[in-house]
């Protein structure tokens, strides 16, 4: 396969999806031309320019760093169409109208480069029909590339070829989307709505139909079909509101228009409640109301019987909640046999989806794996529908579904196909096994893609029943393992030279046991390995890519010491934490932090002390101790002082100017700022310009190991211990405190916030010394430690800690 060098991408259409695709390509450092129609008034590029400005205001943010909006180049089809020839990939993302797309294609096709890939981001139109009118050369380079909304955060991209698409085009695009853009690529057949929307929207329609049948409220259904089932917290109707009820209606209409011979066709009728809301302009979140509506601070839910909004609060019955905690096989059996309407509803929606995917697997997907990954990555389910079926007992569930079909309880009378009951799938106990995943069209188990890009993924997204998949908790050779962490190496040839450390604590927090075990792992690495990588297996959990890397110090584990010795009783733990950070920094092998998800407090500090950081784009980093009434005390403020001194020295700044090099770090800690991405973490100073940002979380471990090896090969030596660090001193502390007085007196911060911020200022500025005084790391660490212990002794900080432990939310007092 030849490599595709993508130097520039054109996105055609500056609407919601086109603009956000452009933004995420910019995140990945891919130059983008964003095209739209020429404006009738003002600048010709006004439509694209307005879209770029809108991107800066959206939440969740399409950009990793808002200022990167400047890198999107606005364009219009009248003045700039010749620039398409500069682009290696052209992605069309205009409205879902076949005639509009064809009109645009006639305009742009002559200008697309002879080797460029041309792709459409349609969510459900036929790719083959869209390619009609192309010459053979362009047909061979045309395919569907369906991003999910919002493109930055949704892991799924569906690739849809036509019969004319060259296989190497799909391979090149899959490699680019996987590694550069960070997506999970699934290949879909050219059928209406492809895989994820086809199955996902059917699932929603089944929920609506069964909820009506069993008389359940919308909020009641959402409580039943969200986190309790391992699915997105927004569940069914909240998700519909977020997506947009008009968008959902359009996707349903695509099924109505193109699936008239489908045995489930009656289910594709637009639900009356949905049609009614759309007719009234209640399109969900974007119009302020849909299935839910916010009135003041109250969230109200639509009463389907009256059409009025009523107070929410519908919940799962306690009995049903207990059933949902049972193992898969027992859970489905109990739901099926329990007469409670909520239990009957849940069994029905499981049955409906199992029935649907069984009947349609051959026509919509190459294999069952693609169905499961598409639903996991596109709809946020923890396990795909085939996985759920297999985990609950393939043969028994199949019999139950058949019984319901025969009894007329199902949404269609179409029988399950013969392969469900007989042959290799029945013998295997499901569609996923050691040889791969079942292809109903080919009547065989199909192995995973072997594209070279996947060699970077030590662990690929595992599926229930896929016995050949590597388990990150057991794979490799364990050097030692205890209740706190596992230290191990990848045993494959050429991969066994780096020690990998994976925590086992809740949220990967660090108590005394984790700290001692980490030091032990570094000792082992120094005795015969090239480096250490701190990497957490939880970073592989998708639906939601990433983390946590570490939520910081384990305050709960330190509480007994506090109960016995008061605030002073905690000081040995804080000292141990600081000593461990120094052990990481001055190790004789490079320690690389492989970060994904949250890296807060101590999690951020271990990053700062590492030789290098490799961070997934969705890394949320910050020193947040203010939230529990404390100051960072694991060396985070010390590192800020060191970096400020280095930056000042680099430009020959005077000691009196040190404060301006500290200001950002002080504000980050005093305001508990958390980065919204790895790119923002770099802008905030938590990542260095030389640190690596990866876009696919599945490549994080491999990249971190390579970075550790590269540092070792370059002759790694730990930094020399800094003994003469110039600090900003008391004058800078006074300047900071003067601004804090104004904030306190204006009631922007509380008296306790003022006290904490003042202690942060003292620590980061080096204490009560003259500006330019020279101190060492021990001095700075002592300032951190004293401030931490002193604050811990105050009642208001203790209230904040207890509030956080009890509710998980910061207390402001």
């Amino acid at each position: 396969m030849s490599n595709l060098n993508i130097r520039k991408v054109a996105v055609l259409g500056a609407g919601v999806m086109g603009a956000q695709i452009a933004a995420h390509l910019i995140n990945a450092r891919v130059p983008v031309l964003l095209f739209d129609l020429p404006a009738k008034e003002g600048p010709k590029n006004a439509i694209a320019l307005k879209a770029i400005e809108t991107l800066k205001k959206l939440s969740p943010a399409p950009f990793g760093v808002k200022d990167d909006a400047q890198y999107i180049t606005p364009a219009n089809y009248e003045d700039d169409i010749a620039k398409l020839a500069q682009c290696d990939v052209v992605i069309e993302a205009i409205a879902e109208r076949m005639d509009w797309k064809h009109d645009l294609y006639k305009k742009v096709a002559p200008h697309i480069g002879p080797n460029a890939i041309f792709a459409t981001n349609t969510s459900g139109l036929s790719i083959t029909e869209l390619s009609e009118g192309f010459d053979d050369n362009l047909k061979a380079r045309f395919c569907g590339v369906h991003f999910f909304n919002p493109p930055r955060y949704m892991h799924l991209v569906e690739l849809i070829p036509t019969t004319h698409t060259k296989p190497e085009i799909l391979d090149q695009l899959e490699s680019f989307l996987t590694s550069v853009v960070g997506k999970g690529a699934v290949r879909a057949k050219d059928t209406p709505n492809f895989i994820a929307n086809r199955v996902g929207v059917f699932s929603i329609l089944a929920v609506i139909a069964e909820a009506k049948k069993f008389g359940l409220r919308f909020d009641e259904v959402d409580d039943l079909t969200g986190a309790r089932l391992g699915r997105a917290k927004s569940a069914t109707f909240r998700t519909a509101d977020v997506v947009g009820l008009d968008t959902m209606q359009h996707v349903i209409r695509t099924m109505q228009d193109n699936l008239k011979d489908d045995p489930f066709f009656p289910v594709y009728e637009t639900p009356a409640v949905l049609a009614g809301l759309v007719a009234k302009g209640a399109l969900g979140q974007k119009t302020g109301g849909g299935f839910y509506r916010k009135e003041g601070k109250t969230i109200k839910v639509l009463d389907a019987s009256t059409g009025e909004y009523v107070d929410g609060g519908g919940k799962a019955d306690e009995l049903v909640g207990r059933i949902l905690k049972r193992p898969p096989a027992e859970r489905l059996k109990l739901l099926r046999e329990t007469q409670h309407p909520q239990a009957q509803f849940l069994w029905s929606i499981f049955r409906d989806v199992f029935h649907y995917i069984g009947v349609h697997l051959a026509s919509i997907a190459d294999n069952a794996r693609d169905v499961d990954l598409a639903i996991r990555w596109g709809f946020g389910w923890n396990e795909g529908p085939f996985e759920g079926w297999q985990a609950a007992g393939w043969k028994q569930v199949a019999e139950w579904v058949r019984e319901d079909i025969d009894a007329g309880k199902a949404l269609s009378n179409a029988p399950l196909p013969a392969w469900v009951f007989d042959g290799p799938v029945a013998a295997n106990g499901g569609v996923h096994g050691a040889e791969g995943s079942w292809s109903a069209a080919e009547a065989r188990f199909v192995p995973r893609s072997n594209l070279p890009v996947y060699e970077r993924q030590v662990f690929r997204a595992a599926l229930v029943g896929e016995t050949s998949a590597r388990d990150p908790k057991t794979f490799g050779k364990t050097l030692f393992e205890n209740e706190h962490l596992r230290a191990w190496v990848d045993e494959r040839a050429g991969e066994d030279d780096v020690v990998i450390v994976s925590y086992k604590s809740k949220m990967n927090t660090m108590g005394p046991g984790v700290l001692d075990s980490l030091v032990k792992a570094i000792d082992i690495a120094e005795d015969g390995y090239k480096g250490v990588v701190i990497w957490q297996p939880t970073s592989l959990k998708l639906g939601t890519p990433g983390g946590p890397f570490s939520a910081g110090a384990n305050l709960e584990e330190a509480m007994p010491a506090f109960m016995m010795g008061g605030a002073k009783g905690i000081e040995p733990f804080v000292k141990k934490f600081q000593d461990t950070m120094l052990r990481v920094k001055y190790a004789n092998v490079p320690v690389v932090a492989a970060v994904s998800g949250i890296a807060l407090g101590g999690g951020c500090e271990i990053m700062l002390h590492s030789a290098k950081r490799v961070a997934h784009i969705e890394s949320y980093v910050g020193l947040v101790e203010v939230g529990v009434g404390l100051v960072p005390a694991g060396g985070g403020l010390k590192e800020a002082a060191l970096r400020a001194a280095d930056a000042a020295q680099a430009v020959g700044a005077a000691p009196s100017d040190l404060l301006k090099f500290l200001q950002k770090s002080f504000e980050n800690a005093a305001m508990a700022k958390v980065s919204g991405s790895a790119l923002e973490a770099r802008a905030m100073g938590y990542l260095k310009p030389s640190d690596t940002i990866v876009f696919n979380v599945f490549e994080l471990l491999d990249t971190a190991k390579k970075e550790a090896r590269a540092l070792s090969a370059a002759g790694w030596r730990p930094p020399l211990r800094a003994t003469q660090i110039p600090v900003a001193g008391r004058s800078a502390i006074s300047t900071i405190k003067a601004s804090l007085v104004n904030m306190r007196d204006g009631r922007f911060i509380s008296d306790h916030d003022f006290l904490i911020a003042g202690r942060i200022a003292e620590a980061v500025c080096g204490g009560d010394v003259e500006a330019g005084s020279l101190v060492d790391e021990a001095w700075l660490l002592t300032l951190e430690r004293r401030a931490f212990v002193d604050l811990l002794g105050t009642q208001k900080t203790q209230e904040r800690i207890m509030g956080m432990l009890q509710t998980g939310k910061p207390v402001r007092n």
Side-chain angles (χ1 to χ4, degrees), residues 572-589:
F573 170 58
V574 180
K575 180 71 164 60
K576 179 190 285 282
F577 202 103
Q578 293 178 339
D579 290 345
T580 305
M581 297 304 104
L582 293 178
R583 184 74 180 92
V584 167
K585 182 174 182 177
Y586 295 112
N588 288 313
V589 292

Side-chain angles (χ1 to χ4, degrees), residues 664-684:
K664 185 195 296 183
S665 295
F666 166 75
E667 289 176 2
N668 288 343
M671 298 173 69
K673 288 184 179 179
V674 177
S675 73
S677 69
L679 294 169
E680 191 175 13
R682 179 181 280 164
M684 293 170 70

Side-chain angles (χ1 to χ4, degrees), residues 14-15 72 154 221 232 235 255 297 316 346 355 358 379 401 412 454 486 564 583 617 647 735 813:
I72 298 180
M154 297 303 290
V221 168
M255 298 165 87
K297 293 186 178 180
L346 286 169
H355 186 191
F379 279 78
V401 174
S412 166
Y454 293 114
R486 177 179 179 236
M564 291 180 66
R583 184 74 180 92
I617 178 68
T735 301
N813 56 4

Side-chain angles (χ1 to χ4, degrees), residues 41-325:
E41 297 178 1
K44 280 279 193 70
N45 289 329
I47 296 173
L49 285 166
K50 183 180 179 183
I52 294 167
E53 283 303 306
T54 300
L55 286 170
K56 298 179 188 177
K57 303 168 188 171
L58 290 181
S59 179
F63 290 108
V65 176
K66 196 179 295 185
D67 290 346
D68 283 354
Q70 64 182 304
Y71 297 115
I72 298 180
T73 303
N76 70 82
Y77 302 118
E78 197 170 285
D79 296 341
D80 306 305
I81 199 162
K83 293 178 182 177
L84 287 172
Q86 307 167 6
C87 300
D88 302 297
V89 175
V90 177
I91 301 172
E92 170 271 307
I94 69 168
E96 293 286 271
R97 284 271 301 267
M98 184 78 71
D99 54 340
W100 290 1
K101 289 179 188 286
H102 275 147
D103 287 345
L104 178 61
Y105 294 173
K106 288 173 189 172
K107 186 184 296 184
V108 301
H111 301 278
I112 295 173
N115 298 308
I117 296 174
F118 188 23
T120 173
N121 183 59
T122 178
S123 61
L125 297 180
S126 167
I127 310 302
T128 301
E129 284 185 50
L130 286 171
S131 70
E132 288 176 1
F134 291 169
D135 61 37
D136 289 346
N137 181 276
L138 189 55
K139 272 188 178 179
R141 293 180 282 119
F142 183 74
C143 65
V145 54
H146 179 210
F147 287 83
F148 273 62
N149 190 21
R152 171 182 161 187
Y153 301 94
M154 297 303 290
H155 192 63
L156 177 66
V157 170
E158 291 176 311
L159 286 176
I160 311 100
T162 71
T163 53
H164 301 284
T165 309
K166 284 183 182 176
E168 57 264 35
I169 291 291
L170 269 293
D171 290 348
Q172 291 170 342
L173 199 51
E174 182 169 345
S175 297
F176 169 72
L177 291 166
T178 298
S179 195
V180 178
V181 189
K183 297 302 170 189
V186 165
R187 297 197 186 188
K189 293 188 177 183
D190 189 12
T191 56
N193 291 340
F194 314 128
I195 298 174
N197 275 342
R198 179 74 175 272
V199 176
V201 171
F202 170 81
S203 173
I204 292 170
L205 290 171
V207 166
I208 294 173
E210 302 291 2
K212 183 179 179 182
K213 177 179 172 183
F214 290 102
L216 304 184
R217 291 164 45 124
F218 297 131
D219 53 348
E220 192 178 356
V221 168
D222 275 353
D223 190 56
L224 287 163
T225 60
R228 292 178 189 273
L229 297 188
R231 300 178 185 176
K233 288 182 181 177
S234 53
T236 303
F237 296 106
R238 285 188 191 279
T239 297
D241 274 357
V242 170
V243 169
L245 304 190
D246 52 341
T247 302
M248 186 174 167
Q249 186 181 54
H250 169 79
V251 175
I252 295 169
R253 191 173 293 129
T254 301
M255 298 165 87
Q256 293 168 0
D257 293 344
N258 297 285
L259 294 170
K260 296 189 187 299
D261 295 330
D262 189 314
F264 290 85
F265 181 74
V267 184
Y268 304 152
E269 181 181 353
T270 304
V273 63
L274 177 64
L277 287 168
V278 173
K280 290 193 297 186
L283 306 181
Q285 191 169 286
K286 60 189 172 187
T287 61
F291 288 106
Y292 294 90
R293 187 171 74 189
K294 192 170 185 180
E295 297 181 5
K297 293 186 178 180
T298 304
I299 303 291
K300 296 209 166 186
V301 62
L302 183 70
D303 183 329
S305 60
T306 66
E308 302 294 325
Y309 287 92
V310 299
D311 290 339
K315 295 283 185 185
D317 185 85
E318 188 179 341
L319 168 67
V320 176
R322 288 201 303 271
I323 291 173
L324 290 176
K325 293 178 181 178

